[in-house]
């Protein structure tokens, strides 16, 4: 693969609903343990801990309609349906009151997780990359500009697998809401246009296998649907 080909592949971009433009992805941040029922489901963490963050590579983002090959090095691939926040304005040490002004829009997302690898990392006190930061692990639906998403943050999230509902929550049940997440994150990183923030998942996470169809709906936003495909063979390019 040549350098010119690499430039053609980058950056990853997410469609913007109702516009011809796309949203180029710079970084992907994810919030851990942001719903009480998921903390209790996983039996880890203190229910009043401050938010913490991990990252996925920008090219882990894949669009609505994708078929995602079952990843290597896992026997327990799990879904986590999440609200995604797209950042449109740069900022550091952003106050909670100013945070909404930095939002470009919102989308439905899935944090795909190699749960067995994540647990291995936890038990060994290693970083979570092996469980979280792998190829195609951050599906993201079309982004709806913030001015058109007035009802989203008081709305609901639903995730189904093969037509069966597996996750359902009110976004108002997030421990840390969107302005608080942006404020906390901006204390450690300068947020920039192109950043995506996955805001955490409720209870109901479970494993998927090749052939499964995952569908996420969030009030007021374009839906996201991906299919888990057969595993692919990794060979030298």
């Amino acid at each position: 693969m040549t350098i010119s080909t690499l430039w053609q592949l980058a950056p990853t971009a997410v469609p913007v609903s109702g516009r011809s433009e796309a949203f180029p992805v710079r970084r992907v941040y994810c919030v851990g343990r942001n719903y009480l029922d998921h903390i209790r489901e996983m039996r880890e963490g203190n229910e009043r801990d401050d938010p913490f963050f991990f990252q996925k590579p920008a090219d882990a983002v894949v669009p609505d309609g994708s078929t995602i090959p079952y990843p290597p090095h896992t026997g327990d691939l799990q879904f986590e349906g999440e609200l995604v926040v797209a950042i449109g304005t740069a900022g550091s040490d952003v106050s909670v009151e100013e945070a909404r002004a930095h939002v470009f829009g919102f989308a439905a997302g899935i944090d795909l997780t190699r749960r067995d690898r994540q647990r291995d990392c936890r038990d060994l006190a290693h970083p979570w990359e092996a469980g979280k930061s792998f190829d195609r692990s951050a599906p993201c639906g079309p982004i709806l500009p913030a001015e058109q998403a007035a009802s989203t943050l008081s709305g609901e999230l639903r995730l189904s697998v093969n037509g069966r509902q597996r996750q359902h929550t009110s976004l108002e049940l997030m421990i840390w809401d969107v302005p608080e997440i942006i404020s906390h994150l901006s204390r450690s990183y300068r947020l920039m246009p192109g950043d995506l923030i996955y805001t955490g998942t409720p209870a109901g996470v479970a494993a998927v296998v090749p052939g499964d169809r995952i569908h996420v709906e969030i009030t007021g936003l374009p839906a996201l649907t991906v299919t888990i495909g057969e595993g692919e063979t990794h060979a030298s390019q």
Side-chain angles (χ1 to χ4, degrees):
M1 184 176 291
T2 66
I3 293 296
S4 60
T5 302
L6 287 172
W7 277 111
Q8 291 171 12
L9 294 174
T12 301
V14 179
V16 177
S17 180
R19 301 186 185 180
S20 59
E21 66 181 307
F23 183 88
V25 179
R26 188 186 82 107
R27 290 184 182 173
V28 178
Y29 299 98
C30 302
V31 183
R33 303 173 190 154
N34 201 28
Y35 288 85
L36 290 179
D37 57 359
H38 182 57
I39 291 173
R40 293 166 181 166
E41 172 183 55
M42 302 305 291
R43 299 179 182 178
E44 58 187 27
N46 186 298
E47 295 181 2
R48 299 305 305 167
D49 284 344
D50 283 347
F52 73 93
F53 303 90
F54 57 92
Q55 294 187 39
K56 291 175 181 268
D59 64 1
V61 176
V62 293
D64 176 50
S66 294
T67 294
I68 300 170
Y70 195 93
H73 198 47
T74 186
D76 190 10
L77 177 67
Q78 296 195 4
F79 57 79
E80 297 187 1
E82 311 200 5
L83 172 70
V84 179
V85 179
I87 297 296
T89 303
S92 299
D93 293 317
V94 176
S95 70
V96 171
E97 294 74 21
E98 296 172 338
R100 285 295 296 268
H102 293 262
V103 176
F104 172 81
F106 301 95
I110 304 169
D111 169 12
L112 288 172
T113 302
R114 294 191 285 205
R115 191 71 69 196
D116 42 2
R117 301 286 73 80
Q118 183 191 23
R119 290 184 174 125
D120 290 344
C121 292
R122 179 197 63 193
D123 293 345
L124 294 168
H126 287 175
W128 279 10
E129 274 83 353
K132 290 286 191 178
S133 303
F134 53 93
D135 296 342
R136 305 179 184 91
S137 61
C140 185
I143 297 169
L144 186 70
E147 62 271 17
Q148 300 175 39
S151 63
T152 294
L153 297 184
S154 59
E156 298 183 338
L157 178 153
R158 290 181 170 85
L159 181 148
S160 63
V161 178
N162 302 327
R164 178 187 174 191
Q165 183 170 285
R166 305 302 298 268
Q167 291 184 290
H168 178 208
T169 192
S170 167
L171 296 177
E172 293 181 321
L173 294 178
M174 287 192 291
I175 298 171
W176 303 97
D177 64 21
V178 167
E180 290 170 329
I181 289 168
I182 292 171
S183 181
H184 274 280
L185 183 59
S186 71
R187 297 174 193 172
S188 298
Y189 303 94
R190 178 169 175 79
L191 299 180
M192 295 293 291
D195 291 345
L196 296 178
I197 306 173
Y198 285 60
T199 59
T201 198
V205 301
V208 287
V209 297
D212 283 346
R213 180 175 179 269
I214 309 171
H215 181 75
V216 183
E217 295 182 355
I218 296 178
T219 302
L221 301 182
L224 167 65
T225 303
V226 298
T227 301
I228 304 301
E230 297 294 334
E232 61 183 4
T233 301
H234 290 261
S236 299
Q237 301 297 317

